[in-house]
Amino acid sequence: MEVCAARAPGKIILAGEHAVVHGSAAVAAAIDLYTRCSLCLMPLADDEAAATLELDLKDPGLTFSWPCGRLREVLLTDEAAGAREARPCSPDRLASIARLLEEHEIPEAKIWLSAGLSAFLFLYTSILGCRPGKVTVSSDLPMGSGLGSSAAFCVSMSGVLLTAAGVVTAVGGISGEGMGWELVGKDDLELVNRWAFQGEKIIHGKPSGIDNAVSTFGSMIKFKKGELTNLKSSNPVKMLITDTRVGRNTKALVAGVSERASRHSDAMASVFNAVNSISEEVSSIVELAANDEIAITSKEEKLAELMEMNQGLLQCMGVSHSSIETVLRTTLKFNLVSKLTGAGGGGCVLTLIPTMLSNLVLEKVIAELESHSFRCFKVEVGGQGLQVCQGGCSYFNGDVV
Ligand SMILES: Nc1ncnc2c1ncn2[C@@H]1O[C@H](COP(=O)(O)OP(=O)(O)OP(=O)(O)O)[C@@H](O)[C@H]1O
Ligand SMILES: C[C@@](O)(CCO)CC(=O)[O-]
Ligand SMILES: [Mg+2]
């Protein structure tokens, strides 16, 4: 039994969501909340008929299993066609995957999972063929809330599958972590990122690629038209994240903005253009601050103003929500600025926490937000991207320890 594992972080978007799908710049950073995937590759059984592919999703608390023979029959494939090149999922293959999913009873209340399941079946069978195995997924991220859970799912899944295929290798440990997690070299990260993007396409429809890029490479990045610039940030900004717990779906929100853009093309082009300028300014402030060319309070004031402007433009795009407005009003009472992060429509909101804000005030803000039944997270911004654990990692009850 071969065991390996991977973990990939969620993200926040400081500026530019939605507009980035239409070619504007955006700024995003990894956060220290992870999705972990572990994989046990089973030996090819003597009893062919008993071989299965199992998926254990810890967060929704559901397990799925497919006989390998059935996968071969429906997908008309056995061998993986080569993991070194990421390929898109063809409409025919997506239709075959949908047939495999119809054979499972997914509870109506959890039907949103089917997009993630399709991405899983596509990535697994494309990278490893129809080999028997057991994949376990667990996550710190709220699903469907704007913190990039779909990207962390696709990146950690691609990472573990490519490691098992022997295509991606670990390059060394992470100091102080002691958990067996290791970093991955640049070329391998590029390959993981390309596969994860194909998975995101199944979940999102038309992703810009920013979420999988920041989850793969970590750190803080500027992203524009598929081009990624690493932002050096010596003094990472402090953000409070509030999950409104209002469920939404990125694919539908992205499609809604595109429809508005086709109805009002000139007006929306101006909105996207304004967002582009905001993101460019945010990225240069982050870099100036890293070079100590700007005082921290002045940096925070500028960022707060830009976040406020970006939120106004996201309202113009039609992706705010009454729960988001409640967070904005609540934090404004404490003179704090907030904006939605990710696709909006509910989900998570970012609040900039100035360095000078006392812990006492911060705790009051959190208490007031939580009195609305929202859930707050204090996160570290700008950390590592994908990490893998290859042999030597112990596997216990589905968790890598
Ligand atoms: N841990 C997980 N287990 C199973 N499926 C998951 C997991 N994480 C994400 N998914 C899949 O991703 C979908 C959520 O993706 P979606 O893009 O709508 O939200 P998000 O990625 O959390 O937010 P955003 O795209 O705005 O950052 C879920 O409905 C599910 O299909
Ligand atoms: C809404 C969006 O801009 C960010 C979602 O985190 C979609 C995308 O860029 O793929
Ligand atoms: Mg997503």
Side-chain angles (χ1 to χ4, degrees):
M1 188 172 80
E2 281 174 62
V3 180
C4 52
R7 68 172 184 175
K11 59 94 225 284
I12 52 173
I13 297 188
L14 280 91
E17 49 276 269
H18 287 291
V20 68
V21 176
H22 301 269
S24 303
V27 178
I31 54 174
D32 60 341
L33 298 175
Y34 292 91
T35 295
R36 290 165 291 276
C37 286
S38 60
L39 164 66
C40 276
L41 264 188
M42 306 300 178
L44 291 166
D46 299 337
D47 179 7
E48 260 286 289
T52 56
L53 169 60
E54 266 184 67
L55 176 65
D56 182 1
L57 298 175
K58 295 284 182 197
D59 305 290
L62 292 173
T63 56
F64 299 87
S65 157
W66 294 271
C68 293
R70 182 70 185 139
L71 291 177
R72 266 181 228 117
E73 189 178 76
V74 175
L75 298 176
L76 301 173
T77 175
D78 188 2
E79 291 305 311
R84 288 177 198 277
E85 214 39 71
R87 294 172 303 281
C89 184
S90 68
D92 281 355
R93 192 169 174 94
L94 200 55
S96 306
I97 288 174
R99 262 199 291 145
L100 285 166
L101 292 184
E102 275 162 20
E103 294 167 11
H104 278 272
E105 293 247 325
I106 304 175
E108 193 51 40
K110 294 187 176 168
I111 202 67
W112 40 268
L113 265 181
S114 50
L117 291 172
S118 301
F120 163 72
L121 281 176
F122 166 69
L123 291 171
Y124 190 99
T125 57
S126 303
I127 295 173
L128 291 176
C130 299
R131 291 181 62 173
K134 176 172 179 182
V135 177
T136 304
V137 184
S138 68
S139 185
D140 310 324
L141 293 161
M143 273 183 279
S145 297
L147 298 184
S149 73
S150 62
F153 179 80
C154 292
V155 172
S156 54
M157 188 65 72
S158 304
V160 80
L161 297 172
L162 290 164
T163 303
V167 173
V168 160
T169 44
V171 293
I174 301 162
S175 55
E177 284 274 332
M179 299 274 284
W181 293 114
E182 296 189 64
L183 300 174
V184 172
K186 176 123 187 343
D187 289 350
D188 285 356
L189 287 178
E190 300 277 4
L191 181 65
V192 170
N193 188 40
R194 288 196 292 273
W195 273 111
F197 181 60
Q198 298 305 333
E200 271 278 85
K201 283 208 291 199
I202 296 175
I203 301 177
H204 272 202
K206 194 189 167 201
S208 62
I210 188 172
D211 291 2
N212 49 281
V214 73
S215 180
T216 305
F217 297 101
S219 178
M220 190 178 283
I221 62 166
K222 180 174 92 172
F223 186 95
K224 183 169 178 166
K225 294 185 181 154
E227 289 265 316
L228 181 155
T229 315
N230 229 321
L231 301 179
K232 286 173 245 50
S233 155
S234 60
N235 225 330
V237 277
K238 277 212 273 175
M239 293 283 176
L240 177 71
I241 297 176
T242 304
D243 183 3
T244 61
R245 301 185 201 241
V246 174
R248 77 316 162 273
N249 165 310
T250 299
K251 187 174 184 174
L253 287 152
V254 168
V257 173
S258 294
E259 281 158 24
R260 187 172 282 203
S262 58
R263 284 195 300 274
H264 309 285
S265 56
D266 284 354
M268 288 292 278
S270 303
V271 170
F272 296 146
N273 200 20
V275 174
N276 182 62
S277 306
I278 290 173
S279 300
E280 293 291 353
E281 221 181 308
V282 166
S283 69
S284 57
I285 290 170
V286 167
E287 293 224 285
L288 281 180
N291 298 330
D292 283 339
E293 285 171 37
I294 178 173
I296 188 88
T297 43
S298 151
K299 163 190 169 179
E300 286 166 356
E301 277 164 20
K302 289 192 161 109
L303 278 181
E305 193 165 24
L306 290 163
M307 280 171 63
E308 195 172 57
M309 288 158 70
N310 195 168
Q311 173 62 29
L313 294 166
L314 285 158
Q315 273 157 7
C316 282
M317 293 178 214
V319 294
S320 195
H321 184 269
S322 58
S323 60
I324 295 173
E325 305 296 327
T326 304
V327 177
L328 300 189
R329 271 198 312 277
T330 307
T331 57
L332 200 57
K333 283 202 257 171
F334 296 88
N335 274 328
L336 298 176
V337 168
S338 306
K339 75 171 263 297
L340 70 84
T341 190
C348 287
V349 181
L350 289 183
T351 303
L352 181 69
I353 305 299
T355 329
M356 300 308 283
L357 193 80
S358 73
N359 271 337
L360 197 70
V361 176
L362 180 57
E363 291 312 321
K364 273 194 191 160
V365 178
I366 293 175
E368 182 148 354
L369 287 166
E370 292 189 338
S371 73
H372 290 275
S373 301
F374 302 148
R375 176 170 43 160
C376 295
F377 300 86
K378 289 184 227 164
V379 292
E380 293 289 324
V381 175
Q384 297 289 353
L386 175 76
Q387 296 145 51
V388 300
C389 178
Q390 179 178 34
C393 55
S394 34
Y395 184 83
F396 176 72
N397 195 22
D399 294 322
V400 175
V401 292

